[in-house]
Amino acid sequence: PAAFVLDALRDAGKLVKGAIIISAGFGEAGNDGKRLEEEIKDISKKTGIRVMGPNCMGIYDTASMVDTFFVPSERMGRPGRGGISILSQSGSFASIIMDEMASEGIGVSRVVSYGNRVDVGESDCLEFLAEDDNTKAVAIYMESVDDGRRFVEAAARCAKKKPVLAIKVGKREAGISAAKSHTGAMTGRYEIYRAAFRKAGIIEIDGYEELKDACRVLNIFNPGKGRKVFIITDGGGIGVRLADACEEMGLDVAALSEGLQKSLSAKFPAFYGINNPLDLTGSATDDEYVMALEAGLKDSYDIAIVTLLWGPPHLTEDLVYKLKAAIKKHDKPVIICSPGGTFTRKMNRVFEDNGIPFFTTPESAARAAAVLAKG
């Protein structure tokens, strides 16, 4: 409990280098709690103990296998190893995203919940993660910032080496009030954060679902690929919705060049929709999907979204491996959009196991493509 934390830190003295305080009842609980936090800072300075928290979950680390999250694994899943590191003031957010990523097979490198941030905060973590070979990209759930100037400098250094994404909460009055009662955070004006993100080269993410989609796609691809998207589908309706979703996200669903249109028209039946989206209809075969994908990747498109409905009778499970071989020939990201039930979910796992990210809705596939285009 909060009342015993100070004595525990003093007793530890020079025996430890770090302390994670998961207890609540500090700055978020009013003036008495704030005074306790000031005393923690004083002890930290005198003893040299680096303090994470209070009011946090601590560290989940797939590299060192440190796990201080106190929720048992049967209640909250632990993700496998991946390239994404997640920083969060909120312990509940860190727990939720860990659980969801574990259930969806998305790996992480490290998850750090630092709570009230009496000592260690996002700037310290960014400085560490910038040099961390286990981290391919960083995602930050942010209510407030520890030190604005230091944060921008640390984030900019990190962003030069790997993608840094941020989701800012507490943008409006109700959220600001909730953040203050949650971690004692003074969130400040959102416009200032938005300007700081731009200055530091941070990719701002709009909402929880987009953050999850970003984590999935950035485990495999790097951003900064351009905005021109080529869509292949075997269902006209879902292709139309995907095209709309991409344009809503600011992507360019550009028409086929004259040369590409002529080339594809010569290869495919007349009833196929030779446009962007390219509709292979219910007659699609494995080889036609591969042929279409390679043609688009050789052309001027930056990203390909392959929409797969597994109903067409000529599609086989070998399509996963044929697409994988085609993707290896080109340095461009390919995203799978495949909604459906039991069989589709099984095949989506096969895609994921083979390094091809899948999404189950047109909206999520479009969000992931937009993340790749933002870098």
Side-chain angles (χ1 to χ4, degrees):
F4 296 93
V5 167
L6 299 180
D7 286 340
L9 282 174
R10 292 190 187 102
D11 290 343
K14 300 289 186 181
L15 298 176
V16 301
K17 294 181 179 180
I20 297 173
I21 305 173
I22 64 174
S23 312
F26 290 89
E28 81 285 358
N31 290 332
D32 289 342
K34 288 177 182 176
R35 281 192 288 271
L36 288 175
E37 285 192 2
E38 289 302 316
E39 291 191 59
I40 291 173
K41 289 180 184 178
D42 186 57
I43 295 170
S44 174
K45 288 177 182 177
K46 289 178 179 177
T47 62
I49 298 173
R50 298 305 307 270
V51 178
M52 186 172 290
N55 187 27
C56 73
M57 298 295 283
I59 298 169
Y60 173 73
D61 188 333
T62 61
S64 65
M65 301 308 295
V66 169
D67 179 1
T68 71
F69 280 58
F70 55 81
V71 181
S73 57
E74 61 267 21
R75 297 287 184 92
M76 184 192 77
R78 268 54 171 182
R81 193 162 185 173
I84 304 295
S85 285
I86 299 171
L87 308 178
S88 175
Q89 279 180 270
S90 166
S92 61
F93 175 85
S95 300
I96 291 166
I97 193 125
M98 274 180 58
D99 195 25
E100 288 209 34
M101 291 175 79
S103 70
E104 294 183 19
I106 306 172
V108 302
S109 178
R110 312 171 193 272
V111 180
V112 183
S113 158
Y114 43 85
N116 293 14
R117 198 180 45 204
V118 73
D119 177 23
V120 175
E122 57 274 347
S123 297
D124 298 282
C125 294
L126 283 167
E127 288 170 357
F128 170 79
L129 294 173
E131 308 301 326
D132 177 32
D133 292 337
N134 294 300
T135 297
K136 183 179 178 183
V138 182
I140 311 172
Y141 172 94
M142 180 178 290
E143 294 174 7
S144 65
V145 69
D146 48 7
D147 178 324
R149 186 183 299 275
R150 185 182 171 210
F151 169 75
V152 170
E153 292 173 353
R157 284 196 298 271
C158 191
K160 286 179 181 178
K161 298 185 176 184
K162 58 197 70 176
V164 178
L165 304 90
I167 174 172
K168 174 68 177 76
V169 299
K171 297 179 183 180
R172 307 289 180 259
E173 283 303 316
I176 291 170
S177 177
K180 188 174 180 181
S181 63
H182 171 219
T183 58
M186 299 298 291
T187 65
R189 291 179 57 192
Y190 167 59
E191 291 78 10
I192 296 173
Y193 283 89
R194 188 167 55 187
F197 293 159
R198 284 199 297 267
K199 185 175 181 180
I202 292 173
I203 302 169
E204 187 174 4
I205 297 299
D206 185 18
Y208 179 68
E209 290 298 324
E210 188 172 349
L211 182 63
K212 280 202 308 177
D213 296 333
C215 287
R216 184 185 292 279
V217 77
L218 290 178
N219 255 328
I220 298 170
F221 298 122
N222 292 319
K225 301 297 185 183
R227 312 190 74 81
K228 198 173 177 183
V229 177
F230 181 46
I231 300 170
I232 307 167
T233 182
D234 55 359
I238 194 168
V240 172
R241 175 56 199 141
L242 185 52
D244 281 346
C246 284
E247 292 201 340
E248 288 163 8
M249 294 300 301
L251 298 166
D252 180 13
V253 187
L256 304 181
S257 66
E258 184 177 348
L260 182 57
Q261 190 167 37
K262 284 183 179 179
S263 172
L264 292 174
S265 295
K267 295 173 181 176
F268 293 138
F271 60 87
Y272 281 15
I274 310 300
N275 300 298
N276 188 16
L278 175 64
D279 184 6
L280 302 179
T281 78
S283 297
T285 67
D286 292 357
D287 291 340
E288 286 173 338
Y289 257 108
V290 173
M291 194 187 311
L293 178 62
E294 291 217 64
L297 293 178
K298 287 176 185 175
D299 206 77
S300 60
Y301 292 100
D302 303 303
I303 303 167
I305 303 178
V306 177
T307 303
L308 262 171
L309 307 177
W310 285 97
H314 300 299
L315 295 182
T316 75
E317 296 182 28
D318 288 339
L319 178 55
V320 175
Y321 308 101
K322 292 178 179 179
L323 290 174
K324 180 180 179 180
I327 293 167
K328 277 189 174 181
K329 299 177 185 177
H330 307 272
D331 186 26
K332 294 181 180 180
V334 177
I335 293 169
I336 302 297
C337 176
S338 191
T342 302
F343 180 80
T344 298
R345 291 171 189 161
K346 182 189 83 169
M347 295 309 301
N348 283 342
R349 293 295 186 196
V350 178
F351 275 117
E352 190 88 356
D353 291 344
N354 281 273
I356 308 171
F358 74 88
F359 299 88
T360 57
T361 69
E363 293 76 16
S364 59
R367 284 192 297 262
V371 167
L372 293 177
K374 282 180 181 178

